Amino acid sequence: TRTATLPRRSLASSSSRLPFSSAASQDTSSSPYVSGPTTHFGYESVSINEKEGRVRQVFENVANDYDVMNDFMSAGLHRYWKDELLRMTGVGPMSKALRRRASMKYASDLNNNNDDDDTIDDSKALLSILDVAGGTGDVAFRFVDAANCEERSKSSGKDEVNVTVCDINPEMLRVGESRARKRYGSALFDETCALKFVEGNAQCLPFEDNSFDLYTIAFGLRNVTDVDMALRDALRVLKPGGRFLCLEFSHVQNVPLAQLYDIYSFHVIPKLGEVVANDRDSYQYLVESIRKFCTQDELVTRMNTAGFEGVKYTNMTQGIVAVHEGWKP
């Protein structure tokens, strides 16, 4: 297996030395995420067909202020959590190693006048990353920067690393692509093809099987109508040996902190949404959606059922968020 499973006792004894604690996977029974004609939209029961449209409206409402919204939801900690997600993916060192390999292979082929079929194909990425529900690009930009794609865009030919942002909401994608072009220019899109924005539903992604080495989804899985369906499709689009990582608000395990967190969530965040964005309802939904989402262990079970291997999770900030990860066999 690719990941080690540690007993909870040893993890608990070491958690005081860490900014967050890691928990091994535990099997818990779970029913299908969607069963019957209705599901939840926050604390409200709605039809399955209605939820997608209502979630879409929430994110159309907050698209231009999405990063501000995340600051409110997390008191600014989302930036640290996303940095940790980047570190866990290893995109930086992987990209450096793959670029070195590609340049060495290219130089060797030139010296040997090698036209064999095993020559690295410049049209195919050596590291292909998919960031789902990442419309505004906050996570994708971290990958682009870590992989040094902007510097690579000054050279000719397609990049050995590419990042695809997929989101169901065209307004979020519009904001993300606009930010990306202002930040990096057009070369990443038009020349090296290192970054692209694609509209698509996490439950039925518009990509072929076995397309990506890495799949990430940050603060998006809880908004999907059928989480089980999204997990199965994540497995489908990953290459064999590909890795899935989900960063999501989760369930606080420290009782005093959980009580304080509830007070902040239900009494402060919706009011801030009303004052700053003139949109209390969207922020109220986002708070409620966190409480309705899977526990850490339940999501582990769902990932195992979907077919992932080596599944585990890492709690950050006492379980306010968790990163779940698994591998496609």
Side-chain angles (χ1 to χ4, degrees), residues 3-309:
T3 53
T5 303
L6 302 177
R8 287 187 176 274
R9 181 174 298 175
S10 66
L11 288 163
S13 65
S14 64
S15 62
S16 62
R17 300 193 298 271
L18 299 171
F20 47 84
S21 60
S22 179
S25 59
Q26 264 191 357
D27 286 333
T28 57
S29 60
S30 64
S31 58
Y33 196 82
V34 172
S35 58
T38 62
T39 186
H40 56 81
F41 176 79
Y43 289 159
E44 185 181 353
S45 179
V46 298
S47 71
I48 292 173
N49 294 332
E50 182 183 356
K51 179 173 180 177
E52 185 176 303
R54 294 186 65 173
V55 170
R56 184 191 298 267
Q57 186 62 55
V58 166
F59 284 93
E60 285 180 359
N61 293 345
V62 303
N64 289 317
D65 300 309
Y66 185 66
D67 293 332
V68 175
M69 181 198 73
N70 280 335
D71 282 327
F72 287 156
M73 296 287 289
S74 68
L77 284 170
H78 75 99
R79 303 174 189 275
Y80 161 73
W81 296 330
K82 290 171 183 173
D83 288 344
E84 282 298 313
L85 176 67
L86 169 65
R87 183 192 63 79
M88 293 173 73
T89 66
V91 163
M94 267 197 302
S95 299
K96 187 175 181 180
L98 288 170
R99 291 190 193 285
R100 184 181 298 116
R101 174 194 163 199
S103 62
M104 291 175 64
K105 186 73 168 69
Y106 180 70
S108 174
D109 290 341
L110 284 179
N111 289 334
N112 298 325
N113 195 23
N114 187 355
D115 293 324
D116 292 344
D117 290 339
D118 64 349
T119 300
I120 291 177
D121 185 351
D122 186 49
S123 68
K124 295 182 179 179
L126 297 178
L127 177 60
S128 190
I129 302 167
L130 175 64
D131 183 44
V132 174
T136 61
D138 209 27
V139 171
F141 296 166
R142 284 169 165 79
F143 294 146
V144 168
D145 293 341
N148 206 21
C149 293
E150 184 179 15
E151 182 65 26
R152 174 64 178 78
S153 69
K154 299 173 184 177
S155 304
S156 61
K158 290 189 177 180
D159 200 336
E160 297 87 0
V161 178
N162 66 45
V163 181
T164 300
V165 179
C166 184
D167 200 292
I168 195 173
N169 194 302
E171 185 63 17
M172 296 284 282
L173 291 167
R174 180 194 64 78
V175 171
E177 184 166 345
S178 175
R179 289 180 61 201
R181 289 188 182 275
K182 288 178 181 177
R183 180 168 178 159
Y184 301 114
S186 296
L188 263 68
F189 295 91
D190 305 329
E191 297 176 24
T192 60
C193 302
L195 181 61
K196 65 178 70 172
F197 288 78
V198 177
E199 185 176 346
N201 189 325
Q203 298 175 158
C204 48
L205 293 163
F207 307 110
E208 295 181 359
D209 297 358
N210 307 316
S211 294
F212 297 96
D213 302 289
L214 175 66
Y215 176 123
T216 59
I217 181 168
F219 305 120
L221 190 60
R222 75 181 191 279
N223 298 307
V224 174
T225 301
D226 191 335
V227 168
D228 295 333
M229 191 173 178
L231 291 172
R232 290 193 297 269
D233 216 46
L235 190 76
R236 178 186 67 79
V237 300
L238 279 169
K239 298 175 184 176
R243 191 179 181 200
F244 170 92
L245 289 102
C246 170
L247 170 64
E248 187 56 88
F249 286 108
S250 198
H251 295 265
V252 179
Q253 298 170 339
N254 178 287
V255 174
L257 178 60
Q259 293 171 341
L260 290 173
Y261 183 49
D262 281 345
I263 292 171
Y264 177 76
S265 296
F266 287 99
H267 296 283
V268 177
I269 291 175
K271 186 63 177 178
L272 286 172
E274 182 179 13
V275 171
V276 176
N278 194 29
D279 186 3
R280 182 186 184 95
D281 290 345
S282 293
Y283 288 78
Q284 183 71 36
Y285 157 73
L286 291 164
V287 168
E288 293 175 1
S289 69
I290 295 169
R291 302 316 190 276
K292 293 293 290 183
F293 189 59
C294 309
T295 65
Q296 287 90 325
D297 287 329
E298 181 186 349
L299 186 52
V300 165
T301 299
R302 294 190 182 283
M303 288 177 63
N304 282 325
T305 301
F308 287 98
E309 293 187 352

